[in-house]
Amino acid sequence: MIENTSQETPRANAAAALRVAAASFAYGAEPALTGIDFQVMPGQAVALIGPNGSGKSTLLKGILGLIARTSGTVEVLGAWPAPAGYIGYVPQTDQIDPHFPISLEQVVMMGRYRSLGWWRMPAKADRRAVAEALETVGLGNRAKTRFGELSGGQQQRGLLARAVASAPRLLLLDEPFNGLDQVNRDALIETVKRLKQQGVAVLVSTHDLDLARAVCESVLLLNGAQVAFGPRDEVLTLTNVQKAFGSVGVEMDEHTIVVPGHGGH
Amino acid sequence: MDVFTSLITAFDLPFMARALLVLVVLSLVAGLVGVLVNLRGLEFISDGLTHAVFPGVAIGFVWGGRDGLFVGAMVAALLAAVVLTVIVKRAVTSDAAIAIVFTAMFSVGIIVVSRETNYVGQLDALLFGRLLTVSPTEVNQTVVVCLIALVLVGSTLKEQVFRAFDLEGALAAGYRPLVLDLVLNVAIALVVVAASSAVGNLLVLAVLIVPGAVARLVTNRLWLLFPVAAGFAMLAAWVGLAFGYDASVNGGVDLPSGATVVLVLVVGYVAALVVRLGLDRIRALGRRRRLVERVGR
């Protein structure tokens, strides 16, 4: 790298992978999230932090175009709607039927469907991409296992592999740390770091400050509206966090945000 | 050995061969569609669709006889599939609303047929099919309708599986579930139409649902489900037809052929269920024994 750009402040002229400006989102007539203004540069990661119901999932769905935007703009690599295949999305695993008869590698192959198109069956290049994606998340030896037989953490990594297999430019993760043990957390963090090195932009919603500290340069604090956005350590102040979590009793340590009456994570 | 020779000789008769051809084609398509019905848990909606197609069958029949039946069923099927897709998408209704709408349509069909002379005989044919008196024209119609359904499902198969597995993921990947649902519902409706002359409006549900359920019991491997379901349905059709023929020729018992085929399907399901439960039990015991050995050591 010749240019010495600070990690925290992206070059003004660089093309953002995701740019959200003065955006509001709504479920039907009900406004769900207002005043969102931030961007994610290629190779960088932003953590979405806020209490339950603060609009983290809403924002992810708004970026995916699954819920209505009532004002402002959203651009993925300068375009809206996002070109097919630009966004990789890792949903929460609790929606998935554990009895569904499908193997891990078949789930990951779904990441290739969009580029395959209707009618076409996967080719050798697709199989290679799937195998590589599974190696990337450290599940190369579980390819044939039925998805429902994997542990929650492995399922989460499997869905991440599906997103990786689609070679996205922007990766959206919805609470990827929920219910994960340390081994799976480490594997997930490693994968996200590797993707960032490849220039993938990452937006991850989380309760977990470890994840934010490990991979995110910036933090977006939410509480039905944007509370703060900026470099991680500038945003994650006790005052800001208390503002987002709406409680003066909120405490914060190295790893987690503790809301009175809710326990930690 | 009579039953076994019947498996071959029965189909020397042209009407038996036609019946077999219709059922084999129907089984193949219903098997594929049925696996998706099973994966999506659309059994109840399929039931609704069969009811909704009925007034179309009835009106078509009253209007133009057997040929009209086919046209009427096609119109009703497409209409019902579209309406159903929209109703479910809007989510303004519950299962109760679907049941109310479709039983109402079913009643309309019955009232239409009741205006006909020979009401009972006609109704019987529409509800339970006339497998052994299927005409060559009806064979062609069935094959064409099944082919359309096959193309619809075949061209969207992997996307349908994606949608069944993970709706949010499919949405995020840019798929439009409304389109996929419409395609699947139209395919289901087409199977109902294709089956209406052969096994009738009521028994078609078994052809749609049992093979998919059997496949789920037999295998956990995704792409095996489809050939297993189709193969099982075809086998049941063959055995059922031959058994009905044998019972009538050698046993002197006249069995309604459509219902016989359906019963063979169900017997096959029960057999698969028993085997599966047995295997699961043995596997569980084996696991426990290994555990006990490890602890004992």
Side-chain angles (χ1 to χ4, degrees), chain B:
Chain B
M1 281 282 99
D2 283 328
V3 182
F4 294 103
T5 42
S6 291
L7 281 173
I8 308 296
T9 55
F11 303 101
D12 291 341
L13 297 163
F15 72 89
M16 285 297 288
R18 272 203 299 276
L20 184 64
L21 177 60
V22 165
L23 278 186
V24 163
V25 173
L26 195 63
S27 299
L28 174 72
V29 179
L32 297 186
V33 175
V35 170
L36 291 175
V37 168
N38 181 291
L39 291 177
R40 289 279 310 279
L42 292 180
E43 284 85 355
F44 182 67
I45 286 176
S46 305
D47 189 19
L49 264 177
T50 64
H51 283 73
V53 171
F54 187 68
V57 175
I59 292 168
F61 176 73
V62 169
W63 166 63
R66 278 188 172 195
D67 294 333
L69 180 153
F70 180 72
V71 176
M74 278 296 262
V75 173
L78 296 179
L79 210 67
V82 172
V83 169
L84 188 84
T85 310
V86 173
I87 288 181
V88 173
K89 157 89 180 168
R90 287 281 161 89
V92 287
T93 110
S94 58
D95 282 357
I98 295 175
I100 291 166
V101 169
F102 288 140
T103 45
M105 293 184 74
F106 198 70
S107 306
V108 169
I110 296 202
I111 289 173
V112 169
V113 182
S114 74
R115 308 313 301 156
E116 281 291 283
T117 51
N118 184 19
Y119 160 55
V120 176
Q122 309 291 17
L123 186 65
D124 189 70
L126 293 180
L127 289 181
F128 304 110
R130 310 162 276 99
L131 193 49
L132 300 186
T133 55
V134 168
S135 70
T137 320
E138 286 171 327
V139 174
N140 292 340
Q141 287 168 346
T142 304
V143 171
V144 169
V145 174
C146 281
L147 214 61
I148 299 172
L150 191 65
V151 169
L152 284 177
V153 169
S155 58
T156 60
L157 195 59
K158 61 185 191 306
E159 290 79 10
Q160 295 281 7
V161 170
F162 194 165
R163 189 237 181 283
F165 174 71
D166 168 17
L167 173 61
E168 267 201 4
L171 277 164
Y175 289 111
R176 313 240 317 260
L178 190 65
V179 175
L180 289 172
D181 291 358
L182 192 62
V183 167
L184 181 57
N185 286 336
V186 167
I188 295 172
L190 288 177
V191 170
V192 174
V193 172
S196 54
S197 61
V199 291
N201 193 265
L202 283 185
L203 295 178
V204 59
L205 200 59
V207 184
L208 260 175
I209 288 172
V210 179
V214 168
R216 283 296 295 273
L217 289 173
V218 171
T219 180
N220 258 328
R221 292 175 52 194
L222 180 62
W223 301 118
L224 261 184
L225 291 171
F226 297 94
V228 166
F232 169 76
M234 287 193 244
L235 187 69
W238 180 34
V239 172
L241 272 178
F243 179 76
Y245 171 85
D246 189 71
S248 128
V249 172
N250 299 322
V253 188
D254 244 344
L255 294 177
S257 45
T260 309
V261 169
V262 168
L263 266 187
V264 171
L265 277 170
V266 174
V267 168
Y269 173 80
V270 172
L273 184 65
V274 168
V275 170
R276 178 61 191 259
L277 290 177
L279 284 177
D280 286 353
R281 183 107 187 96
I282 291 168
R283 220 169 284 159
L285 282 174
R287 214 175 296 139
R288 205 159 75 205
R289 193 171 308 136
R290 277 196 298 278
L291 202 68
V292 169
E293 276 168 15
R294 211 177 306 154
V295 171
R297 218 174 276 160

Side-chain angles (χ1 to χ4, degrees), chain A residues 18 21 23 31 35 42 64 77 85 101 139 141 151 156 158 163 200 219:
Chain A
L18 171 67
L64 286 165
L77 289 145
L139 288 177
N141 56 344
S151 73
Q156 188 77 57
V200 178
V219 167

Side-chain angles (χ1 to χ4, degrees), chain A residues 61 64 66 87 89 91 96 99-102 106-107 110 113-114 116-121 146-147 159 162, chain B residues 39 151 154-156 158-159 161-162 164-166 168-169 171-175 180 216 220-223 225:
Chain A
K61 287 186 180 134
L64 286 165
L66 304 185
I87 305 181
Y89 174 55
I96 286 169
H99 300 292
F100 203 96
I102 192 167
Q106 286 166 339
V107 171
M110 288 173 177
Y113 283 2
R114 230 31 251 256
L116 272 175
W118 312 95
W119 271 118
R120 295 246 324 277
M121 292 316 264
R146 194 164 61 77
F147 191 78
L159 293 182
R162 180 175 72 178
Chain B
L39 291 177
V151 169
S155 58
T156 60
K158 61 185 191 306
E159 290 79 10
V161 170
F162 194 165
F165 174 71
D166 168 17
E168 267 201 4
L171 277 164
Y175 289 111
L180 289 172
R216 283 296 295 273
N220 258 328
R221 292 175 52 194
L222 180 62
W223 301 118
L225 291 171

